[in-house]
Amino acid sequence: MEQIEGIVEDIIFCNEDNWYTVCDIRSGRRLITVVGYMPGLAVGETIVVNGHWTVHQDYGEQLKVETYERSLPTTTDSIFRYLSSGIIKGIGEVTAKKIIDRFGEDALRVLQFEPLRLAEIKGISEDKALRIGQAFMEREQIRQIVMFLQKYGVSAAYSLKVWKKFGSESVNEIKKNPYRLTDEDINIGFKIADRVAISLGIDSNSEFRVASGIHYALSKAVQNGHVYLPSDVLVSYTSNLLKVPPEIVENTLSRLIFEESIYVEKNSDEYRVYLAAFYKAEQHVSRKLNILGSTVPQNRVPNLDEVLQRVEAEQNIEFTDEQLEAIRFSATESILVVTGGPGTGKTTLIKGIISLFEKSNMKIVLAAPTGRAAKRMTEATGREAKTIHRLLEMEFSENENIREFKKNERDPIKADVIIIDEASMIDILLMHALLKAIEPGTRLILVGDVDQLPSVGPGRVLSDIIESRCLKTIRLNTIFRQAEESMIVVNAHRINRGEFPELASSHDDFFFIQRNGPQSTAQTILELCTARIPEKFGLDPMKDIQVLSPAKKGDSGVYSMNAALQQSLNPPKAGLKEKSFRGVVFRENDRVMQIRNNYNTSWRLTGENGEVITGEGVFNGDMGIIREIDHDNNYLTVLFDDGKLVEYDFDMLDELEHSYAITVHKSQGSEFPAVVIALSGIPPMLRLRNLLYTAITRARQLVVLVGEIEILKQMVNNITERERFTGLKDKLIGYFC
């Protein structure tokens, strides 16, 4: 390996996604071409590179970098070239010359320690001086964390995430606890974090390492929908992960329980191990539901039968016996749960309940877990519905680095009735936050389809509540006559009962197209979305047709289908700006989806009266369109379906994916005019009845299944659900009984 020190003369190429750089450095009289992963390199910097010589067939001899170190330039000429390179936001060639003319070789020291002195230069205000100083310091902090982590094989992209989370304390925080690298918002694999930890001198059998492994195992379980892990499962997993004896894991587990950083409870012959937040959430949800359920509602509904007759007359409808029972219980019960499949009148019921309480002059609040679901609720009822996060007025505490809700026990939601739609999507932490903000005496009505997939987040809240039999629950089974004419509704119920769907029908809203293999399936889906469905049904492929696939990988999986659909529906053309990020091209007008919760991303939207509303928080599953890509300022703008306008810095693009095709899990709470469902290349573990049922019930007008008849049969017959470890049902029974 050879070591060379030199000054960066020219950046020939730099891939901003992975920082692969080709540059020329001046070392004495030699000009050397250097290639490798070198984040944030700038002309004028001095670098020391270690690497091996290679010969490129076109470009000749090059030094391939293994490691490198950087130092800031020291001469006025090199400082000028460094500043004028555009590496520091707010400084171009003209401003760089002014800074050099004023401060000479002292320029970088002024930028770092006395940035306000830049205001001595004509044309630079104090505000701009501070912004330039901050940009310079941020670049230095990023450089430090990148240089620190590159020794352990951590890429620059992940280093930027570390810096975003910890800022100037990044290196210190990782040295204190390298396992913070596995946090969800950084998401480096445990093995890499473990390698960093061991390199920093942490013993492989140390309690600190084992404790981190236990926390990681429980966090990984939460990401898979579990609220706890049985102790034997946890010990076995952690032991295998860390390659340490099970007794060492058990000893550390006992200490963590004693310190109350994790909780354990005994249930029958099983010991359940929880992260503290999830144990407390389950405890609070069960206790608060008991308090709310046993409290008499604040306001009565006088002359209930007479009001019900008026509601039916005004809405020109005759409620079914099930709906009437639900409406009556909504008037008398503090908590009511309503579940039912498509076509059973859940929306009609909600409208009836709203009308009932409005006639009694009660304040009603409507909400749903996602933006799309809230928008649908608004359209169906004619009343404003908010996301639960907006209802709770979520905010981000920068000092604490945690999300907070303004609405809680101290400042509860002011309402007589709270109606939540799509309640099957509520996870245990969101339910915990919601119940904290509801006062005893307020009516809570939860409406959802319990037969759909459970929430993306941990728990199976609606199922646990219903299965506990502790709260008044009405199941709507009657399919309305109009819905009976839809094969979407008919087949959804057939599948839910374990019956094969009717495929030979005169109806034109439900089709199955036999194709053998993922490649043939993908090609047919592409033809359907780009030509056949738009031509036959007059639907807009960019707005009305949604491809669903249970799988992410493979020819008919989400990733491949998105690339093919983007190429057909939104191809490159003059005037459409693009941004390439980690091998994916984002283009203006692309359909995209937020793929993780980001509680501190700012958004703005225009209200009904033209007022601008601002807030924070974009959530897993939110969908929208790329409206603008701004290369000058390194961001793109997404307009989400609920009207939120969000700016994404280019280094945040790992939070977005294309949404021409999405997984069935990501489609929960959404509804589309037409869905095309891929039934090929599906892993056995995803061939589930409730997954197929959920996919079909996302469509309003048209369902087209494309793939293998055998997989369709397997999914219909497979009643198995992916197991989730949750304790809410048992806790509810304990509190109520």
Side-chain angles (χ1 to χ4, degrees):
M1 184 177 290
E2 184 160 353
Q3 183 179 89
I4 293 176
E5 180 176 356
I7 297 173
V8 179
E9 287 276 315
D10 185 27
I11 305 290
I12 300 168
F13 170 79
C14 179
N15 184 330
E16 293 181 7
D17 297 338
N18 58 16
W19 297 99
Y20 183 81
T21 303
V22 180
C23 67
D24 286 338
I25 66 171
R26 174 73 62 182
S27 180
R29 294 183 178 181
R30 290 193 299 167
L31 190 64
I32 300 167
T33 299
V34 176
V35 300
Y37 298 94
M38 296 175 283
L41 213 59
V43 171
E45 286 186 301
T46 298
I47 63 172
V48 178
V49 296
N50 294 279
H52 299 280
W53 290 103
T54 62
V55 178
H56 191 279
Q57 61 181 1
D58 295 323
Y59 304 113
E61 195 174 51
Q62 301 175 336
L63 187 70
K64 186 176 181 180
V65 174
E66 299 292 333
T67 63
Y68 80 110
E69 295 180 4
R70 301 159 53 192
S71 59
L72 292 173
T74 55
T75 67
T76 54
D77 180 59
S78 60
I79 293 172
F80 170 73
R81 296 178 66 195
Y82 172 74
L83 293 178
S84 63
S85 69
I87 201 77
I88 307 298
K89 190 180 291 187
I91 300 180
E93 190 170 335
V94 173
T95 304
K97 186 175 187 311
K98 290 180 179 179
I99 292 173
I100 293 298
D101 289 345
R102 179 69 180 84
F103 299 110
E105 293 181 357
D106 205 29
L108 296 184
R109 189 196 66 79
V110 170
L111 279 169
Q112 185 168 2
F113 299 108
E114 300 178 277
L116 270 176
R117 288 193 61 194
L118 295 176
E120 297 172 12
I121 299 171
K122 187 176 180 180
I124 299 180
S125 65
E126 288 190 357
D127 185 54
K128 183 176 181 180
L130 286 174
R131 288 201 306 272
I132 291 173
Q134 183 179 7
F136 179 81
M137 285 304 300
E138 285 180 359
R139 187 148 203 94
E140 282 305 289
Q141 291 163 9
I142 292 171
R143 183 179 69 83
Q144 289 172 18
I145 188 64
V146 167
M147 299 299 294
F148 171 70
L149 289 176
Q150 76 163 359
K151 296 180 291 187
Y152 308 105
V154 176
S155 73
Y158 282 117
S159 299
L160 286 172
K161 289 186 177 183
V162 174
W163 177 80
K164 279 192 167 186
K165 185 175 179 99
F166 300 117
S168 61
E169 291 299 308
S170 293
V171 173
N172 291 335
E173 287 293 329
I174 299 308
K175 283 182 176 179
K176 280 193 298 186
N177 183 1
Y179 297 100
R180 297 298 303 275
L181 294 169
T182 66
D183 288 357
E184 187 178 0
D185 47 0
I186 300 173
N187 204 28
I188 289 177
F190 183 85
K191 289 183 178 179
I192 294 178
D194 200 36
R195 187 168 69 234
V196 175
I198 292 173
S199 298
L200 289 171
I202 295 174
D203 186 81
S204 60
N205 287 340
S206 73
E207 279 202 345
F208 176 75
R209 178 173 183 258
V210 177
S212 298
I214 290 170
H215 278 282
Y216 172 79
L218 290 172
S219 298
K220 196 73 176 173
V222 165
Q223 292 175 28
N224 291 325
H226 304 296
V227 182
Y228 71 87
L229 282 180
S231 59
D232 56 344
V233 174
L234 174 62
V235 170
S236 175
Y237 178 88
T238 308
S239 174
N240 290 330
L241 176 73
L242 302 178
K243 302 293 188 290
V244 298
E247 53 268 25
I248 290 181
V249 179
E250 291 170 347
N251 291 338
T252 304
L253 186 58
S254 298
R255 179 178 65 80
L256 294 175
I257 293 168
F258 179 77
E259 293 173 353
E260 295 188 348
S261 64
I262 61 175
Y263 283 76
V264 66
E265 67 176 15
K266 190 174 187 302
N267 186 272
S268 299
D269 297 327
E270 177 183 74
Y271 285 93
R272 300 173 172 179
V273 186
Y274 292 79
L275 291 171
F278 296 93
Y279 177 78
K280 292 175 181 177
E282 273 197 351
Q283 288 279 45
H284 175 266
V285 167
S286 52
R287 182 171 63 248
K288 189 64 178 284
L289 285 173
N290 177 258
I291 292 170
L292 294 175
S294 59
T295 304
V296 177
Q298 287 178 346
N299 299 308
R300 290 179 58 252
V301 178
N303 306 315
L304 179 58
D305 290 334
E306 179 184 325
V307 175
L308 268 174
Q309 289 176 3
R310 286 169 53 200
V311 171
E312 283 187 317
E314 289 175 5
Q315 297 191 6
N316 193 27
I317 189 171
E318 184 177 343
F319 293 116
T320 65
D321 291 342
E322 295 164 343
Q323 289 175 321
L324 282 172
E325 184 182 23
I327 295 174
R328 290 180 188 278
F329 278 125
S330 74
T332 60
E333 298 288 322
S334 290
I335 301 178
L336 174 67
V337 180
V338 178
T339 185
T344 56
K346 295 191 296 294
T347 299
T348 300
L349 174 62
I350 291 173
K351 290 167 69 176
I353 290 173
I354 291 171
S355 182
L356 174 78
F357 289 121
E358 283 182 342
K359 293 185 185 311
S360 300
N361 297 316
M362 295 191 198
K363 182 180 179 182
I364 305 156
V365 167
L366 309 181
T370 67
R372 289 184 77 93
K375 185 178 180 181
R376 282 175 48 213
M377 195 179 190
T378 298
E379 292 168 350
T381 63
R383 278 83 171 173
E384 182 189 15
K386 299 179 179 179
T387 63
I388 296 175
H389 290 87
R390 272 193 70 199
L391 175 65
L392 298 177
E393 298 180 19
M394 193 199 73
E395 60 183 5
F396 190 80
S397 171
E398 293 187 8
N399 294 333
E400 305 271 339
N401 201 34
I402 56 173
R403 63 172 177 170
E404 295 176 343
F405 294 99
K406 289 183 181 179
K407 294 297 178 184
N408 50 38
E409 300 96 334
R410 297 181 298 279
D411 183 17
I413 299 165
K414 298 302 180 184
D416 299 300
V417 185
I418 299 172
I419 304 175
I420 307 293
D421 199 10
E422 295 287 356
S424 64
M425 298 181 65
I426 302 176
D427 63 38
I428 190 64
L429 292 183
L430 188 56
M431 191 66 172
H432 173 50
L434 175 64
L435 293 179
K436 285 172 70 175
I438 298 178
E439 291 181 293
T442 300
R443 290 173 174 84
L444 174 62
I445 300 169
L446 301 173
V447 183
D449 186 348
V450 75
D451 295 318
Q452 290 184 23
L453 290 168
S455 57
V456 174
R460 49 195 299 272
V461 173
L462 186 65
S463 295
D464 281 349
I465 290 173
I466 291 173
E467 290 175 14
S468 74
R469 299 178 182 272
C470 294
L471 295 166
K472 182 61 66 177
T473 300
I474 301 295
R475 180 179 275 274
L476 303 177
N477 294 305
T478 303
I479 303 176
F480 275 68
R481 186 176 304 155
Q482 184 178 358
E484 286 180 334
E485 298 174 2
S486 165
M487 291 308 297
I488 298 174
V489 173
V490 169
N491 281 332
H493 284 276
R494 287 181 64 86
I495 290 167
N496 202 33
R497 295 192 298 266
E499 301 171 10
F500 197 74
E502 293 183 15
L503 302 180
S505 168
S506 59
H507 293 76
D508 62 354
D509 64 349
F510 195 100
F511 300 91
F512 175 79
I513 300 176
Q514 171 75 37
R515 290 291 182 268
N516 294 320
Q519 195 169 10
S520 177
T521 296
Q523 183 58 41
T524 299
I525 290 174
L526 197 59
E527 293 168 3
L528 286 165
C529 293
T530 57
R532 292 166 62 178
I533 291 176
E535 290 169 6
K536 181 175 176 61
F537 297 95
L539 296 174
D540 184 339
M542 286 292 286
K543 296 178 181 177
D544 301 329
I545 305 171
Q546 182 63 58
V547 175
L548 302 180
S549 176
K552 291 184 177 180
K553 298 178 181 178
D555 288 333
S556 60
V558 165
Y559 298 144
S560 293
M561 289 306 311
N562 266 319
L565 287 163
Q566 181 201 36
Q567 183 61 32
S568 295
L569 298 175
N570 191 35
K573 67 177 182 180
L576 281 185
K577 292 192 283 292
E578 299 179 351
K579 168 61 182 173
S580 178
F581 184 81
R582 297 185 187 174
V584 176
V585 175
F586 291 100
R587 187 172 296 128
E588 289 176 337
N589 298 333
D590 269 345
R591 289 166 57 175
V592 291
M593 171 184 280
Q594 174 79 13
I595 61 170
R596 64 175 61 99
N597 291 337
N598 187 327
Y599 300 105
N600 62 325
T601 292
S602 299
W603 52 260
R604 65 184 186 276
L605 61 81
T606 303
E608 292 182 359
N609 300 319
E611 75 279 16
V612 176
I613 303 168
T614 61
E616 292 180 331
V618 188
F619 304 103
N620 192 350
D622 286 354
M623 295 171 68
I625 300 288
I626 296 178
R627 281 290 174 238
E628 180 188 11
I629 296 178
D630 186 335
H631 285 286
D632 292 334
N633 295 293
N634 294 327
Y635 72 85
L636 60 77
T637 304
V638 176
L639 177 63
F640 284 98
D641 292 341
D642 59 0
K644 291 185 300 201
L645 201 64
V646 178
E647 292 180 358
Y648 287 81
D649 290 338
F650 284 164
D651 57 12
M652 294 172 58
L653 295 185
D654 60 343
E655 296 187 8
L656 292 176
E657 284 183 357
H658 288 112
S659 62
Y660 300 97
I662 61 176
T663 63
V664 179
H665 286 82
K666 295 286 190 183
S667 73
Q668 288 173 260
S670 299
E671 196 175 74
F672 311 94
V675 298
V676 181
I677 304 168
L679 293 182
S680 187
I682 302 173
M685 63 187 297
L686 293 176
R687 297 178 186 180
L688 306 171
R689 180 189 296 174
N690 64 348
L691 189 145
L692 177 62
Y693 172 78
T694 300
I696 288 171
T697 55
R698 299 308 88 207
R700 286 198 301 270
Q701 299 170 226
L702 176 67
V703 168
V704 184
L705 306 174
V706 184
E708 301 164 38
I709 195 78
E710 190 56 38
I711 288 181
L712 176 58
K713 290 177 181 176
Q714 290 175 17
M715 296 181 81
V716 171
N717 293 328
N718 188 3
I719 196 171
T720 306
E721 292 188 30
R722 298 179 75 178
E723 183 180 19
R724 286 193 172 194
F725 296 118
T726 73
L728 180 60
K729 173 184 170 182
D730 294 330
K731 289 183 175 66
L732 284 170
I733 292 172
Y735 270 103
F736 280 83
C737 304

